[in-house]
Amino acid sequence: MKKATKMMVLASALVVSLSVGAGSTAEAAKKVNVKSVKVTVDATGGSAATKKSITLTKGKKAKIKATVSVSPNKSANKKVTYKTSKKSVATVTSKGVITAKKAGKAKITVVSKKNSKKKAIVNVTVVTGKVTKVALDKSAATLKVGASDKLTAKVTSKGKKANKKVKWTSSDAKVATVDSKGNVKAVAAGTATITATSTDGTKKTAKATITVENTVVAPVNGKAVTVEVEFSDVTKAQADIDAVAKFSKDSKVVVNLDGKDYTAEVVNGTVKINGKAISESEKAKNAKKVTIKTTIKSDKIASVTAFAPASVKSVKIGTVTFTEITAKSFKIGDKTYNYTVKGQNIEVEADAVEVLKGLGDVVTVK
């Protein structure tokens, strides 16, 4: 009887153990959720293109990149298998490398190992024609930051139905970018190489060197321009007002208080109205808007633009108003421009040609 009881206990324990184990396994399986399998294919030797189909020259190779969206996001859950519909046309390895065998069409099916229902297809067309040369309409170009240019690729091929499409890439997208049609955009000063590569697997290339330069604002010697500097708090700005007056080519400047002009004199470096410093003037203390207007030589423009103490609200030179000025940037309208001052010149890291034309004939923009 005791023996029979022990056997029943052991049997019950075994059943419980198996049940728990089965439950754990089922629970673990449920935790892996494959949402999708997406693919791209490329035959240029670079990063995968965005297309799901490719036309390859017989004997050439391409690489499939599979992206599996899965939870948990672990590499073990992202594994896939590759299968071709026609080995005589195109084969594929376990790593997604396609080899074109003969003219025709084949489909490469990419399947998730964790969920066979999640799959993607790459359409492969194999042709006998091939690209023999890729050339560009220009080998080099110099652009200002923010400017654009277009490169045109001429593709030479032989044989039937050659794939003459090219893939465009930039060696440094921080300097210059290029889109799928060869349109180049200058981003920042520097040099970048734009490459056009055949996509049929022959990997024929052509390159163009793009040099990007800053816009340079240079003064025209002897020219004068009107400058207006508005201050946010005149009670704290006497030293800053005096500093602006130092750029003036005259001994007198105009101080505008709430829309009314007052002629002020610069006495021993201090701007005064009726013999009193601005900081001592009751009219200035009570003013809601205070501006100093004067005329400077164009070779002082860089100095005034870079003059940005906390009390300065804006600087207007000619018809161009600079706001939010710091040692490295300013705004014109609602756009921010980075800049550096080099001697009398201002180098602007943006396509500021149009807005800076408002400085009139006192500067050249190049």
Side-chain angles (χ1 to χ4, degrees), residues 220 298 351:
V220 176
S298 61
D351 186 22

Side-chain angles (χ1 to χ4, degrees), residues 31 40 45 78 95 109 114-115 124 127 131 136 159 163 170 203 211 213 218 228 244 269 276 279 302 306 336 354:
K31 286 183 179 180
T40 56
K78 297 181 178 181
K95 293 184 177 181
T109 304
K114 288 294 184 181
N115 186 343
V124 181
V127 295
V131 173
L136 297 181
N163 172 14
S170 171
K203 298 181 183 179
T211 301
E213 299 177 342
E228 295 181 28
V244 173
K276 289 185 177 182
S279 58
T336 299
E354 291 302 316

Side-chain angles (χ1 to χ4, degrees), residues 28 31-34 67-80 112-114:
K31 286 183 179 180
V32 179
N33 178 25
V34 180
T67 302
V68 180
S69 178
V70 62
S71 177
N73 188 24
K74 295 181 179 180
S75 57
N77 297 332
K78 297 181 178 181
K79 293 181 179 180
V80 296
S112 165
K113 281 189 174 184
K114 288 294 184 181

Side-chain angles (χ1 to χ4, degrees), residues 147-189:
S148 300
D149 199 0
K150 181 174 176 59
L151 296 174
T152 301
K154 180 181 179 181
V155 180
T156 306
S157 64
K158 70 176 183 178
K160 295 181 179 181
K161 299 180 180 180
N163 172 14
K164 300 176 74 171
K165 294 180 180 180
V166 297
K167 178 182 176 181
W168 296 93
T169 56
S170 171
S171 64
D172 192 344
K174 292 181 180 180
V175 173
T177 60
V178 63
D179 66 12
S180 61
K181 295 182 179 179
N183 296 307
V184 179
K185 178 77 172 180
V187 179

Side-chain angles (χ1 to χ4, degrees), residues 343-357:
Q344 296 180 359
N345 297 342
I346 304 171
E347 288 193 8
V348 188
E349 295 180 355
D351 186 22
V353 175
E354 291 302 316
V355 289
L356 292 177
K357 283 181 179 178

